Amino acid sequence: MELYSLSKIRKFIKEVEENPLKFWWETRKMIEWVVEPKDVTEGEPPKIRWYIGGKSNICWNAIDVNLDENKDKIAFYYMNENGFTKGITYWDLFYEVNRVSYLLKELGVKKGDTVSLFSSCSTFPR
């Protein structure tokens, strides 16, 4: 199965140019939705909204869907300014995201609150 290639990219570009709304409507199938969108867009650039009426969980789509078959595969690589690198698996990422979410909940953070996080990555060697 061909995942990435110049011919596939050219095909995508052609599809988008010929019928962008159809292309983006089909593309919505690449993620799981809590509530399926009713339409692709609303408004005009620069004030445009995408996937009208749809609700998704970005964390679920980025991490959780990978736990059954890919939990031990690398989700991303971490590298600090000193060149230390570490592969972070989907399971590691799931664990750390949940750890932070429970901590935020214990601190009283609730739905609708605005939160900013900063990490010095002190748990990794420097």
Side-chain angles (χ1 to χ4, degrees), residues 11 24 37 56 84:
K11 181 182 175 202
W24 288 110
S56 67
F84 171 78

Side-chain angles (χ1 to χ4, degrees), residues 27 50 122:
T27 301
W50 287 86
S122 59

Side-chain angles (χ1 to χ4, degrees), residues 51-63:
Y51 298 116
I52 308 309
K55 292 190 186 285
S56 67
N57 181 324
I58 192 69
C59 191
W60 171 265
N61 279 288
I63 302 171

Side-chain angles (χ1 to χ4, degrees), residues 66-103:
N66 288 291
L67 292 177
D68 284 342
E69 295 181 22
N70 300 316
K71 72 177 182 178
D72 295 323
K73 289 189 178 180
I74 301 297
F76 68 92
Y77 289 96
Y78 163 83
M79 177 188 278
N80 71 12
E81 61 276 0
N82 296 324
F84 171 78
T85 60
K86 178 178 172 86
I88 308 295
T89 66
Y90 284 101
W91 181 253
D92 296 334
L93 191 55
F94 175 78
Y95 176 82
E96 293 300 329
V97 166
N98 279 280
R99 195 169 77 135
V100 170
S101 70
Y102 284 115
L103 172 65

